[in-house]
Amino acid sequence: MSLPKRDGVNGRYYLIHKPDTDLEVLEHADQCIQDILDGTARENHSDYPVVVRSKGGTPFLPSQILDRFLFRLPLKGFPYKEAVTFCDALRRLVGWQQICYHLTQYIETQVQGRYFIVGEKEDFFMAYPSCVVSPELRQEEVDESLLRFTCYVAVCCTVYGASYESVTTEHYFSLVSQLRPDMVKKLKNNGTGKLPKDIQRRKTEHLTASANDAFATIRITAKDNTLECYGEALDYLCEVLEQTEFPRSYSVEFRGPEKIYLPIQGLPKKGINQLFARAVQYPELHTSIERYARLAMREFEWYNNLSDEQCAMPGTFAVFALGLEGPAWWPLVCDYLDLCDDEHSSLQEKFLHALFKKYCFTARSMPVLFHGVQSMQELKPAKEFRALIANEESLDALLDAKAHLEDYLPAKEKRDKKAWDYLWQGVLWAIWGKAAENGGSKVIKTAPEKWKERYTEIFQPIANKK
């Protein structure tokens, strides 16, 4: 008996959510579930949407396969290990984003909807409404394994999801806390248990440290200010981030005997700032600081314990510390700036101001300026910049960068003349601000006679490029 025609988009897969779905198609779906567990199923990202194929090649939507698996599980005596094993296997196969919505819908239906009275959102910006335990709920009706699965989904949201999914994590933990507070308390104390014991907790002559993958936190307390102490702290941070199960957005809570901060005005005075302000004072640790930065830097990930207006990508303070040490670290700085979320991140502006005030505008520092302009919506100039650029070396460096503008643009924009002009106008604004408007007429007019030609060339429109 042959299978019917595929009824998914462009005939790419079979739909299995309809009541009249062909029974043989459902048999193939069940076989696909088993193949996922056995590790013989395959995924296909070559087109939209992503599909998962059974060992025999029958294609399905990952979300529908997940729903078919989950909604046939008993809610009393919920098979926690079986559910986690399947979800982990499917996540590894197709990726978290292919299954996260349907997993959260399951929790909201089977846990939030059954155990709680769901209130109204106080305002549009609330991700979830307030929930209180239903007064009619009897304790024996609550399945602890289902609550454990809720915690599993909560942790997955933090470990594998985007930074904003931590809101879902907090909501699910709040639900479980109302029914089984000890369950969440155990996670707070020990995490999921997946991290090695030496990573979960560490105590040496120089520091104490702990990492919690469930709550995405790293805590380090330094006992002294020695090279050995900060070397151990950096090694520990790197070891934590080398654990594939540890979240990529996280908090670093550091306490040390001395409160000093990076010499960058306006940076949040947090422990992570203190850590790298102190560690960078040891040249022997610079490569360890870079190692941490490279491990930490991830686009669209954040330090969770910084306010929204001071949000920063993991690795930020390590990069800033090294960047102020000199040109050897500026390639790292440029790589960092390329990863910054230009719609939300602006802390790098404070660093860039400090860097150019210290090192001025030179041929070596100019790439940092161009990458910095593209790292945020608008890089505003420091008041000192007009004076710092007003010398022959700096003006020539800027003109040389203008002549090689395409080197600073992403590959897809190298032939886009509008992109060239947009970048150049951003650079001019970052140095001169409003004075760069109207073709820089005010700047050119007040420039020394010996430099007028250079200024005129700088403010000329970008030449048409083929």
Side-chain angles (χ1 to χ4, degrees), residues 30 35 56 71 74 77 110 115 206 212 292 311 347 361 365 437 449-450:
D30 292 337
D35 292 342
F71 281 95
Q110 306 293 26
Y115 297 159
H206 300 287
N212 188 305
Y292 166 74
C311 61
L347 206 62
F361 297 99
S365 68
E437 295 176 349
E449 193 64 35
K450 61 180 179 178

Side-chain angles (χ1 to χ4, degrees), residues 122-360:
E122 294 180 7
D123 55 55
F124 175 78
F125 299 101
M126 285 186 65
Y128 291 96
S130 59
C131 298
V132 295
V133 177
S134 172
E136 299 177 358
L137 181 68
R138 294 175 297 176
Q139 286 299 313
E140 58 269 23
E141 294 175 342
V142 178
D143 189 276
E144 292 207 11
S145 292
L146 187 55
L147 294 184
R148 287 181 65 201
F149 186 68
T150 303
C151 290
Y152 160 80
V153 175
V155 171
C156 284
C157 287
T158 292
V159 175
Y160 307 113
S163 57
Y164 58 80
E165 291 184 55
S166 61
V167 176
T168 301
T169 300
E170 294 173 6
H171 177 64
Y172 289 175
F173 280 151
S174 73
L175 296 180
V176 176
S177 292
Q178 293 183 61
L179 295 167
R180 295 291 187 273
D182 288 349
M183 193 177 293
V184 177
K185 184 178 180 181
K186 185 177 180 181
L187 283 169
K188 285 183 177 180
N189 291 336
N190 304 313
T192 65
K194 293 181 180 179
L195 296 178
K197 296 294 184 183
D198 187 48
I199 297 293
Q200 287 184 34
R201 300 187 189 282
R202 181 171 296 181
K203 186 175 183 178
T204 73
E205 176 187 348
H206 300 287
L207 58 77
T208 59
S210 64
N212 188 305
D213 54 343
F215 286 85
T217 56
I218 302 172
R219 294 184 174 91
I220 300 174
T221 299
K223 299 177 182 178
D224 55 63
N225 284 323
T226 62
L227 168 67
E228 292 75 16
C229 177
Y230 285 90
E232 288 183 10
L234 292 170
D235 287 343
Y236 180 74
L237 284 172
C238 292
E239 288 178 50
V240 173
L241 294 189
E242 285 170 344
Q243 306 300 311
T244 57
E245 299 294 331
F246 195 81
R248 307 316 304 185
S249 287
Y250 53 90
S251 301
V252 175
E253 299 174 8
F254 174 81
R255 296 179 65 183
E258 181 183 14
K259 286 191 176 182
I260 65 168
Y261 301 97
L262 292 171
I264 302 173
Q265 188 175 0
L267 286 192
K269 292 187 175 181
K270 293 284 190 175
I272 188 70
N273 187 334
Q274 296 176 39
L275 170 59
F276 288 103
R278 198 68 180 80
V280 80
Q281 294 180 5
Y282 297 104
E284 302 93 327
L285 298 180
H286 287 183
T287 55
S288 295
I289 295 173
E290 182 189 21
R291 178 187 170 209
Y292 166 74
R294 296 284 185 190
L295 285 169
M297 295 187 313
R298 295 287 180 90
E299 189 175 14
F300 308 129
E301 303 289 358
W302 308 95
Y303 282 124
N304 291 336
N305 57 334
L306 299 181
S307 61
D308 290 344
E309 62 272 16
Q310 294 181 321
C311 61
M313 178 171 62
T316 289
F317 297 88
V319 171
F320 289 0
L322 288 176
L324 292 182
E325 289 298 302
W329 304 107
W330 292 348
L332 170 66
V333 171
C334 290
D335 290 342
Y336 164 83
L337 293 169
D338 288 346
L339 289 173
C340 284
D341 179 356
D342 61 355
E343 292 187 3
H344 300 97
S345 175
S346 61
L347 206 62
Q348 64 269 31
E349 181 178 80
K350 302 179 189 301
F351 161 73
L352 291 168
H353 285 181
L355 184 141
F356 287 107
K357 288 176 186 178
K358 183 174 182 178
Y359 292 102
C360 303

